């Protein structure tokens, strides 16, 4: 992949986070609602059961009440609930007849209950202080056969009811928390599963940008597939448009070069006569400049168009081998060799035509100046970037020449064939493909090094 | 030396032919791929200058056909296509050099001569045969170190002899090298030319094998 480029669109939050927050909110509201309604229902139900039980007990107490010969209250048998016999169990009863000493349950080893709760023949209840804290108290008023009132009171510690409700609430809370966690985990799994096509799309886009693919690959759900198809159509149309632009730029250059050749020829003929030599010189200079501009602008148009295209990739050996073969034919007196250091995939995310143009310019330049040999070396640096280095055994360049070598029209030997554009074009191509072109003095000649962009994983 | 120029643009074709003839080449001009493909005596050409974009076909296809048919003279591509992709393709298809239009005529000539030199296995442009020296770039000739003035046709004939020293050249072969297809050829022209050249370089230096041809003695 070419170097990480700054993103043009800043992300406005995360889709994943949005889904997660929405699910978390719904789970919290749902679980909270369940917790609230369940605890309320349970508390109401328990209270209701409690009250009914106490009402039954107070009626049972009334039914079991007898008066002995002295008119003192006694029970014909103990109440059916054994808890009334256990000291301070929280379950108490008390019977008071006409202000005499009250009859109390065995559980009530201390304290007393308020008689005033029992003031009517109907069961009444309220929360009162009891022997072991606040109690739910039920009272009933009966008439003594001899006249006077019999107050029957049944009480149960309120703490007992609260304990039941707390126990239920605690257990319910744990279960609901577990359910909430399970729902959240399920939600996260659903998000991951649901967004997986987007992850695949992201990978496919990365491969496209790296040049590992020339279209968005893979199968996508119905909702995303049209978008992927549109993107692929856009990429294809973009590539076709660039190809057409290249061809048209080439055609334009082609159509200009032929009349320019006629003009050059005419100027050369004029240069043969003394009377027109000066005019011919102007014409020749201008046609040379026109040719330079055509070559340079055409090369720029080609490389800048391709440099930004997604889906392009070059395999170095595939690109370089035919160029070396052509160079051996073009410069038969020079020995061209390739040295490869290391192994591994030598695919780079650059357009093969641009890479071929760049390497050809550098090899041809080396071939023109070399004494005997030109060597192209391929290696990978510590950052994983592929490096093409071209050495020649020619005269090389001075530091000053190197500093100006990539300027348009720079020629250090006018006798040598060429336009003085090669290295300027090479520099432009390198820049457009995010590569670095570096010229340096070698031990015997010039060293031209191209550090190619890396394919990111 | 005879050249085949394949160029579809009439004005450029005419001008180039004129300049090449002025440089003492016999030039045949083909303006289409079909015409070039069926050119009658390709084996007599010293070199071919080929344009790539032809109206009825690709110059590269023509190049591949010629190389497959063992046409081994130097082939120089002269085209308006300037990319290295085209150059690499052309060179790998069998071209010996690649010149992008518009090229100065001197450059084209220098490239042609470089190809002749390379083809003949010489390292130097100047052709030598003992007492004779000829520079195809400047068209200068020296006999025993002294400059020699020759007419255009005499120069062409000497150039041919020097490229094949010691070889017997028939009158037909000499005619085919000196004249293009359009020029009317008469066998006695060769006799007259040989006679004139003998007078300038020495009578015994060109020998006659009766009925077979002429040979430049080494």
């Amino acid at each position: 992949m070419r170097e990480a480029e700054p993103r043009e669109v800043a992300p406005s939050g995360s889709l994943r986070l949005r889904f997660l927050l929405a699910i978390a909110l719904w789970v919290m509201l749902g679980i909270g609602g369940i917790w609230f309604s369940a605890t309320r229902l349970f508390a109401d139900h328990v209270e209701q059961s409690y009250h009914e039980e106490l009402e039954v007990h107070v009626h049972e107490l009334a039914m079991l009440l007898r008066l002995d010969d002295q008119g003192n209250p006694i029970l014909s048998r103990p109440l059916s609930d054994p808890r009334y016999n256990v000291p301070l169990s929280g379950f108490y009863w008390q019977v008071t007849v006409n202000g005499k000493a009250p009859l109390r349950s065995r559980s009530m080893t201390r304290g007393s209950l308020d008689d005033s709760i029992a003031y009517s023949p109907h069961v009444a209840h309220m929360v009162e202080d009891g022997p072991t804290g606040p109690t739910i108290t039920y009272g009933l008023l009966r008439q003594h056969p001899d006249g006077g009132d019999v107050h029957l009171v049944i009480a149960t510690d309120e703490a007992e009811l609260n304990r039941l409700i707390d126990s239920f609430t605690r257990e319910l809370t744990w279960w609901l928390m577990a359910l909430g966690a399970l729902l959240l985990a399920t939600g996260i799994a659903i998000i991951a599963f649901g967004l997986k096509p987007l992850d695949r799309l992201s990978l496919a886009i990365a491969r496209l940008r790296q040049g590992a693919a020339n279209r968005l690959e893979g199968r996508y759900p119905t909702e995303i597939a049209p978008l992927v198809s549109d993107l692929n159509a856009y990429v294809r149309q973009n590539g076709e448009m660039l190809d057409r632009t290249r061809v048209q730029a080439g055609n334009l250059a082609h159509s200009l070069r032929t009349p320019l050749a006629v003009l050059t020829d005419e100027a050369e003929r004029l240069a043969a006569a003394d009377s027109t030599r000066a005019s011919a010189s102007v014409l020749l200079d201008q046609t040379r400049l026109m040719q330079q501009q055509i070559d340079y602008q055409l090369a720029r148009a080609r490389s800048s168009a391709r440099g930004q295209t997604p889906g392009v990739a070059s395999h170095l050996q595939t690109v370089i081998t035919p160029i070396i073969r052509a160079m051996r034919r073009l410069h038969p007196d020079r020995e061209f060799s390739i040295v490869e250091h290391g192994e591994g995939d030598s695919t780079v995310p650059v357009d093969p035509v641009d890479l071929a143009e760049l390497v050809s310019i550098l090899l041809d330049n080396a071939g023109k100046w070399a004494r005997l040999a030109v060597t192209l070396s391929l290696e990978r640096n510590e950052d994983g970037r592929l490096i093409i280095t071209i050495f020649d055994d020619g005269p090389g360049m001075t530091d000053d020449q190197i500093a100006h070598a990539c300027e348009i029209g720079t020629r250090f030997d006018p006798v040598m064939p060429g336009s003085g554009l090669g290295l300027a074009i090479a520099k432009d191509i390198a820049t457009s493909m995010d590569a670095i072109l570096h010229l340096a003095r070698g031990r015997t000649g010039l060293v031209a090094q191209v550090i190619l962009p890396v394919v990111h994983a | 030396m005879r050249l085949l120029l394949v160029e579809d643009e009439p004005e450029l074709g005419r001008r180039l032919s004129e300049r090449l003839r002025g440089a003492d080449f016999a030039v045949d001009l083909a303006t289409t791929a079909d015409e070039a493909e069926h050119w009658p005596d390709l084996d007599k050409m010293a070199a071919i200058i080929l344009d790539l974009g032809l109206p009825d076909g690709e110059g590269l296809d023509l190049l591949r056909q010629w190389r497959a048919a063992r046409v081994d003279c130097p082939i120089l591509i002269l085209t308006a296509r300037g990319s290295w992709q085209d150059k690499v393709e052309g060179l790998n298809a069998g071209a010996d050099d690649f010149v992008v239009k518009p090229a100065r005529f001197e450059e084209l000539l220098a490239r042609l001569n470089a190809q002749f030199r390379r083809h003949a296995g010489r390292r130097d442009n100047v052709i030598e045969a003992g007492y004779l020296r000829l520079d195809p770039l400047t068209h200068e000739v020296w006999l025993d170190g002294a400059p020699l003035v020759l007419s255009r046709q005499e120069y062409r004939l000497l150039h041919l002899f020097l490229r094949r020293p010691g070889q017997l050249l028939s009158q037909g072969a000499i005619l085919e090298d000196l004249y293009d297809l359009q020029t009317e050829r008469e066998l006695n022209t060769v006799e007259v030319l040989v006679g004139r050249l003998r007078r300038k370089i020495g009578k015994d230096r060109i020998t006659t094998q009766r009925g077979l041809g002429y040979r430049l003695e080494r």
Side-chain angles (χ1 to χ4, degrees):
Chain A
M1 185 180 169
R2 64 186 70 253
E3 293 286 359
E5 291 164 12
R7 292 186 185 278
E8 284 181 18
V9 180
S12 63
S14 156
L15 208 55
R16 203 179 299 271
L17 189 64
R18 283 185 197 187
F19 284 138
L20 196 61
L21 285 176
I23 288 174
L25 186 67
W26 277 112
V27 167
M28 278 167 62
L29 284 174
I31 297 288
I34 291 171
W35 182 87
F36 182 75
S37 53
T39 50
R40 284 309 317 145
L41 278 172
F42 181 77
D44 288 350
H45 173 74
V46 169
E47 276 176 17
Q48 183 70 28
S49 302
Y50 233 74
H51 286 266
E52 282 172 4
E53 189 181 347
L54 289 177
E55 201 172 329
V56 167
H57 286 174
V58 80
H59 281 296
E60 188 184 10
L61 183 64
M63 202 177 66
L64 295 175
L65 180 67
R66 300 281 184 277
L67 295 174
D68 63 10
D69 298 339
Q70 283 79 39
N72 294 319
I74 56 168
L75 293 187
S76 57
R77 63 168 174 80
L79 281 178
S80 53
D81 191 331
R83 288 175 294 185
Y84 290 102
N85 296 323
V86 179
L88 300 175
S89 65
F91 289 80
Y92 311 108
W93 55 262
Q94 177 180 298
V95 179
T96 309
V97 180
N98 289 335
K100 290 182 180 174
L103 178 66
R104 295 189 173 108
S105 62
R106 286 183 188 173
S107 59
M108 203 166 159
T109 54
R110 65 166 188 252
S112 66
L113 298 172
D114 184 6
D115 283 343
S116 63
I117 182 81
Y119 57 85
S120 85
H122 302 291
V123 176
H125 76 274
M126 58 176 51
V127 176
E128 295 283 346
D129 282 338
T132 47
T135 54
I136 300 166
T137 309
Y138 272 68
L140 186 64
L141 179 67
R142 289 284 169 89
Q143 287 298 309
H144 192 276
D146 300 331
D149 296 330
V150 178
H151 296 271
L152 298 116
V153 180
I154 287 277
T156 301
D157 278 352
E158 195 183 24
E160 184 66 18
L161 178 64
N162 290 341
R163 190 186 56 76
L164 273 175
I165 293 172
D166 287 349
S167 167
F168 172 80
T169 304
R170 196 165 45 249
E171 197 157 334
L172 180 72
T173 304
W174 280 115
W175 276 110
L176 286 180
M177 278 171 69
L179 178 65
L182 191 66
L183 285 174
L184 267 180
T186 311
I188 290 168
I190 288 171
I191 290 168
F193 181 71
L195 294 182
K196 221 173 175 63
L198 287 180
D199 291 340
R200 279 193 284 123
L201 180 61
S202 173
L203 283 174
I205 290 172
R207 278 174 58 78
L208 184 71
R209 294 183 73 217
Q210 288 162 11
N214 56 12
R215 59 192 295 279
L216 295 175
E217 295 169 332
R219 291 166 61 83
Y220 296 92
T222 317
E223 293 78 7
I224 301 177
L227 173 70
V228 174
S229 299
D230 286 349
L231 278 172
N232 274 334
Y234 173 73
V235 169
R236 191 184 63 250
Q237 284 167 4
N238 198 33
E240 287 170 356
M241 190 184 72
L242 289 173
D243 285 342
R244 277 200 302 277
T245 307
R246 261 185 171 176
V247 170
Q248 283 164 2
N251 287 345
L252 176 65
H254 187 276
S255 62
L256 287 174
R257 278 195 179 114
T258 304
L260 211 51
V262 174
L263 278 179
T264 305
D265 181 69
E266 186 63 27
E268 284 180 346
R269 287 166 190 250
L270 291 172
D274 288 342
S275 58
T276 50
R277 187 163 294 137
S279 305
S281 172
V282 173
L283 278 175
L284 283 171
D285 284 347
Q286 292 307 308
T287 49
R288 187 177 51 78
L289 281 176
M290 285 163 75
Q291 185 191 352
Q292 269 190 355
Q293 284 304 317
I294 289 170
D295 290 345
Y296 183 64
Q297 298 302 339
L298 180 64
R300 272 180 63 108
R302 279 175 176 149
S303 59
S304 60
R306 267 293 174 204
Q308 306 301 323
T309 311
V312 294
S314 305
H315 185 257
L316 282 188
Q317 281 85 350
T318 311
V319 170
I320 289 170
T321 306
I323 299 174
I324 292 283
R325 210 162 50 232
M327 290 299 154
R328 285 176 181 149
R329 203 164 168 82
L330 192 61
H331 304 283
D333 313 335
R334 316 286 190 269
E335 190 184 322
F336 285 83
S337 53
I338 304 181
V339 180
E340 291 182 49
H341 301 283
E343 292 177 351
D345 185 22
S346 55
T347 303
V348 280
V350 299
D351 180 58
V353 176
D354 284 348
L355 182 62
E357 194 80 10
L358 174 59
V359 173
S360 300
I361 290 170
L362 297 177
L363 277 174
D364 181 52
N365 197 53
K368 280 177 187 167
W369 292 96
R371 202 169 53 81
L372 288 172
V374 176
T375 306
L376 183 148
S377 128
L378 288 178
E379 61 190 322
R380 204 178 277 278
N381 70 4
E382 58 274 15
D383 300 332
R385 296 179 73 155
L386 277 161
I387 300 177
I388 300 173
T389 312
I390 295 167
F391 307 88
D392 67 64
D393 59 356
M397 288 187 194
T398 63
D399 290 339
D400 188 51
Q401 284 175 324
I402 286 173
H404 296 96
C406 293
E407 291 171 5
I408 300 170
T410 302
R411 295 186 65 188
F412 298 122
D413 184 353
V415 175
M416 195 70 84
S419 60
L421 283 177
L423 288 176
I425 292 173
K427 184 84 178 173
D428 267 16
I429 294 173
T431 305
S432 76
M433 62 168 63
D434 290 332
I436 299 165
L437 171 62
H438 182 66
L439 301 178
R441 291 162 67 178
R443 267 191 309 139
T444 56
L446 184 70
V447 178
Q449 194 171 61
V450 182
I451 303 171
L452 291 161
V454 71
V455 177
H456 289 289
Chain B
M1 294 172 89
R2 226 170 121 194
L3 298 180
L4 175 62
L5 172 63
V6 187
E7 170 62 62
D8 64 312
E9 213 287 313
E11 178 65 15
L12 190 59
R14 183 184 65 76
R15 285 171 172 273
L16 259 179
S17 302
E18 274 180 27
R19 300 292 295 275
L20 288 166
R21 286 188 188 110
D24 290 333
F25 290 104
V27 182
D28 289 333
L29 176 64
T31 55
T32 62
D34 185 58
E35 200 181 351
E37 189 185 348
H38 299 103
W39 204 260
D41 44 4
L42 274 181
D43 56 323
K44 306 294 184 303
M45 297 298 165
I48 298 172
I49 299 174
L50 175 67
D51 186 13
L52 290 185
L54 297 168
D56 58 339
E58 268 299 312
L60 278 181
D61 295 336
L62 209 53
L63 177 57
R64 288 191 189 99
Q65 278 179 37
W66 282 337
R67 288 307 190 207
R70 302 194 179 280
V71 174
D72 67 344
C73 67
I75 299 178
L76 191 144
I77 290 175
L78 177 65
T79 179
R81 296 180 193 168
S83 78
W84 270 101
Q85 192 185 17
D86 291 316
K87 290 181 194 176
V88 167
E89 207 176 343
L91 290 164
N92 285 333
D96 294 278
D97 203 354
F98 200 104
V99 179
V100 181
K101 296 175 188 171
R104 297 291 297 268
F105 184 71
E106 288 79 7
E107 186 187 342
L108 181 65
L109 208 56
R111 299 275 194 103
L112 263 180
N113 277 310
Q115 290 308 319
F116 293 140
R117 178 169 51 80
R118 191 183 292 168
H119 204 62
R122 289 181 281 112
R123 296 194 64 82
D124 198 355
N125 266 326
V126 176
I127 311 173
E128 285 192 53
Y131 48 93
L132 275 168
R133 292 181 77 223
L134 181 146
D135 186 341
L137 276 181
T138 60
H139 287 206
E140 289 174 295
V141 180
W142 297 269
L143 176 65
D144 293 326
L148 186 67
V149 179
L150 297 176
S151 72
R152 178 167 293 174
Q153 292 301 77
E154 288 163 5
Y155 171 86
R156 284 184 181 178
L157 181 60
L158 181 63
H159 194 183
L160 174 63
F161 275 133
L162 283 172
R163 279 185 281 129
R164 297 174 190 177
Q167 282 184 30
L168 189 65
L169 299 174
S170 69
Q171 287 190 334
I174 293 171
L175 274 178
E176 278 167 351
D177 192 83
L178 296 190
Y179 299 101
D180 56 44
L181 271 187
Q182 275 73 37
T183 309
E184 202 173 318
R185 305 170 184 191
E186 289 178 18
L187 286 179
N188 68 343
T189 315
V190 176
E191 271 186 55
V192 174
L193 256 181
V194 170
R196 277 168 29 195
L197 192 58
R198 273 182 175 141
R199 281 197 288 278
K200 292 191 176 176
I201 65 169
K203 197 173 179 183
D204 301 331
R205 284 170 175 166
I206 299 174
T207 54
T208 306
Q209 296 281 310
R210 197 158 297 279
L212 293 175
Y214 304 94
R215 176 187 288 125
L216 179 73
E217 297 302 327
R218 293 172 189 263

